[in-house]
Amino acid sequence: MTSFLPSPAQEPADPVATGPADAVADLRTTARWTIVAVAGVGALLVGGGPLTAVGRIDDWGDTFAAFGGLALTVLGVGWAIWKTGEALTPCLATLDDLDAPEMASLRAAIARNPAAYYGPYRSLRELRTQRRLHEAVAADLAVKLAREQDPVQTKVFEQGLADARANAEEARRLQHRLLTLIHAWSVRHAVRSARLHTLAAFGLVALGAVLFLTATGDKAADPPAKQARSASAAPDGAGLAQTADRPTENRPGR
């Protein structure tokens, strides 16, 4: 049995040295901070400010506009939190996911250096086939070794069993490494997608905030205008009162 384990001098660079598990943790930390930021913005926009501005609304048109603005703001915040939360949801990854559209960049990296990902095998299909073959050979040799009585043949079976088990273990290690990378790429794709959705959601939040401020802001300018009109009308009224109270003068000839 020939061992396919590469020698230390010929072993290719390990792409897992970059730490896909660490990358997943960092990506999910980014997603958590995004949720905190979105929640903070939502609390700022729909906190105490709208409650104090409600008293400035005195007609149904502004009431519906203010309600629509608040609804859009809450919808945008909820949308951003929902999509970002998906990046924090535990996901299942399989080797078949390597063919998914979001794995295009990973497939390109593998195509540039297949040996770094598949080891002595040329493709994922060959890797899976050879793993099953090495496991079957190891099981068969283990049975033969248990029945063998010849010392010379026993040593041959022992060596073959050791090689088969080593090759099977190496194939399992390569598959596990690919599975870890696929999982990291899935989380990366989810975080990137959440960023785009968060950007669109903030556009909705901004629209809702503008609509609400427009519905309540023009009412804030009404009281000063009314006071100005009242002040301008006061001298005329006062003049009329003075004219009414002025005594009638005695004109000559009467």
Side-chain angles (χ1 to χ4, degrees):
M1 173 66 66
T2 303
S3 175
F4 290 100
L5 290 174
S7 62
Q10 298 177 348
E11 187 170 0
D14 191 351
V16 184
T18 56
D22 296 334
V24 169
D26 293 340
L27 287 169
R28 286 181 168 166
T29 299
T30 302
R32 292 188 186 96
W33 279 110
T34 301
I35 290 179
V36 171
V38 170
V41 172
L44 181 64
L45 292 177
V46 298
L51 297 179
T52 60
V54 168
R56 304 172 186 171
I57 302 174
D58 57 4
D59 61 74
W60 284 106
D62 288 337
T63 300
F64 284 119
F67 177 78
L70 284 178
L72 288 177
T73 300
V74 174
L75 179 62
V77 172
W79 179 17
I81 293 177
W82 177 272
K83 295 304 295 186
T84 306
E86 289 185 356
L88 300 175
T89 305
C91 59
L92 298 176
T94 65
L95 293 175
D96 293 331
D97 293 334
L98 186 59
D99 296 328
E102 59 268 20
M103 298 294 161
S105 57
L106 178 57
R107 291 195 299 269
I110 293 175
R112 289 193 297 268
N113 188 10
Y117 298 86
Y118 297 141
Y121 311 103
R122 293 172 295 180
S123 65
L124 176 59
R125 181 178 180 180
E126 182 179 350
L127 171 60
R128 301 170 94 171
T129 301
Q130 291 299 317
R131 175 191 172 180
R132 290 191 292 267
L133 175 62
H134 294 317
E135 289 174 345
V137 170
D140 182 64
L141 288 175
V143 172
K144 291 181 178 179
L145 180 62
R147 297 174 179 176
E148 186 60 47
Q149 301 295 328
D150 184 10
V152 176
Q153 193 65 26
T154 297
K155 291 183 178 180
V156 174
F157 286 156
E158 288 177 348
Q159 182 62 43
L161 179 60
D163 291 342
R165 286 176 175 174
N167 290 329
E169 180 60 29
E170 175 65 7
R172 281 192 293 268
R173 186 186 72 84
L174 291 171
Q175 283 192 359
H176 178 71
R177 182 171 64 182
L178 278 173
L179 194 60
T180 304
L181 287 170
I182 291 171
H183 179 259
W185 246 258
S186 298
V187 176
R188 173 175 173 263
H189 174 74
V191 172
R192 285 190 170 187
S193 177
R195 287 178 178 176
L196 295 177
H197 283 277
T198 300
L199 182 61
F202 267 110
L204 196 63
V205 169
L207 178 62
V210 169
L211 185 61
F212 179 83
L213 293 176
T214 302
T216 58
D218 55 354
K219 294 300 176 183
D222 287 347
K226 292 179 180 179
Q227 293 176 3
R229 288 195 297 270
S230 299
S232 62
D236 296 337
L240 292 174
Q242 292 175 2
T243 304
D245 295 339
R246 183 182 300 171
T248 305
E249 297 181 356
N250 294 325
R251 296 182 178 178
R254 285 188 182 183

